Amino acid sequence: MKYAKIGGQAVIEGVMMRYGNDYAVTVRKPDGNLEVKKGRYEGLVSRLHLTRVPIIRGVFAFIDSMVLGISTLTYSASFYEDEEEQAEKEKSSKSSLGEKLIMAVTVALSLVIAIGLFMVLPFFISDLFRHVTDSSWLLGIIEGIVRVILFMAYIFLISRMKDIQRVFMYHGAEHKSINCIEHGAQLTPENAMKYSRFHKRCGTSFLFIVIFLSIVFFILFFQIFPVENRILKVVIRILLVPVIAGVAYEVIQWAGRSQCRFANVISRPGMALQKLTTREPDESMIEAAIASIEAIYDWRAFQEEVRADEQNDIKTAP
């Protein structure tokens, strides 16, 4: 199994795939036909030339993925809006705020809600136990447990929503298609169905690593630099979030490329959590994922390169 530099996400009745600055989103329209849209998205990582800057590139890659993800999710939803909703959306997009500003506000609001729910709220809940213990270690562990519970509860609750379950089926289709390529098989719906719906580089795994690292970072930081002021504690937690996200990005990218035992151990919790965020797709969903892949990515050339490398390794082996 070799690492293919392609990723994506599920959208409403479809799949978006991204390779470098190129992306394609394929949607199964209400009439049953596939609509494929290709485009280029030059994100902050590319524009700021951060591809070789560890940790920092992870922070901006996360922002890029959110911007492109929300944009393509909105595009896919447009096929299932009624005429009144579409007219209102067109009117809104022509407002003085501008489409880019609306997108920026959406991403910023999403980040604020996520940080508030998973980073700040657990601190205030754990702080309620201060009258029971004054041990910063114990309070940090309680905060971490609360954070994990909130995250797991959030994932579980959204996984029970009927509409989201279909999105999670397309999420499974995305993973199966990439796994099919990386295992060297011909990319067809029949072949892709045979492969796992779990993948090491999934966004679910990334979020789990962020949650885990936040527990470690917060406990260690406040052990080394004790802080008494509650407001300052909250501010420091918020300031550490980009650092944690950057480190998590490096971890998941390394784990996705490596086949060593330690990388597999690190990947297991996130892949286990994908049992909630993915569902077994049908072949029509895999067709959408394949259409997005083939619009921007030459998977046959990738597999030829892999086979050539394997042959060279055999020839040069002692």
Side-chain angles (χ1 to χ4, degrees), residues 60-268:
F60 290 99
F62 176 62
I63 296 173
D64 286 343
S65 66
M66 284 195 67
V67 172
L68 182 59
I70 293 173
S71 175
T72 53
L73 191 62
T74 302
Y75 167 76
S76 66
S78 68
F79 289 94
Y80 292 86
E81 295 172 346
D82 57 34
E83 292 181 2
E84 185 176 336
E85 288 175 322
Q86 287 181 352
E88 184 64 29
K89 186 176 177 182
E90 288 177 8
K91 182 180 178 181
S92 174
S93 66
K94 294 175 182 177
S95 67
S96 58
L97 289 175
E99 198 170 333
K100 290 185 178 180
L101 180 57
I102 293 174
M103 182 62 65
V105 171
T106 302
V107 172
L109 184 60
S110 301
L111 288 172
V112 169
I113 293 173
I115 291 172
L117 181 60
F118 300 121
M119 296 297 168
V120 178
L121 180 60
F123 164 70
F124 285 111
I125 294 175
S126 67
D127 201 52
L128 298 175
F129 291 86
R130 190 167 293 279
H131 67 281
V132 177
T133 178
D134 59 357
S135 170
S136 59
W137 277 96
L138 186 55
L139 290 171
I141 291 171
I142 292 171
E143 179 184 349
I145 292 172
V146 171
R147 183 171 294 111
V148 171
I149 290 173
L150 287 174
F151 180 65
M152 294 293 291
Y154 171 77
I155 295 295
F156 177 77
L157 288 174
I158 65 170
S159 72
R160 308 305 296 174
M161 298 170 63
K162 187 175 180 181
D163 290 341
I164 295 297
Q165 287 178 2
R166 282 196 63 81
V167 174
F168 285 174
M169 290 174 75
Y170 278 101
H171 190 189
E174 174 216 337
H175 286 182
K176 280 176 173 284
S177 300
I178 294 175
N179 277 324
C180 181
I181 293 171
E182 293 184 334
H183 282 84
Q186 291 291 303
L187 185 58
T188 64
E190 297 79 10
N191 283 344
M193 285 292 289
K194 301 173 186 175
Y195 289 92
S196 173
R197 72 176 199 261
F198 312 129
H199 198 283
K200 287 182 179 180
R201 291 183 286 110
C202 174
T204 304
S205 296
F206 170 78
L207 292 176
F208 181 85
I209 292 173
V210 167
I211 295 296
F212 175 77
L213 287 178
S214 69
I215 299 172
V216 176
F217 269 63
F218 293 160
I219 289 177
L220 291 180
F221 183 92
F222 290 107
Q223 283 295 313
I224 298 172
F225 306 103
V227 176
E228 296 300 326
N229 186 282
R230 294 175 68 194
I231 300 300
L232 186 56
K233 286 181 178 180
V234 172
V235 171
I236 291 172
R237 280 167 169 78
I238 294 172
L239 292 176
L240 283 175
V241 169
V243 179
I244 294 168
V247 174
Y249 175 86
E250 301 301 330
V251 170
I252 199 170
Q253 290 296 314
W254 168 76
R257 293 189 300 267
S258 176
Q259 295 299 315
C260 73
R261 185 173 299 178
F262 183 58
N264 292 334
V265 169
I266 289 175
S267 301
R268 281 176 188 169

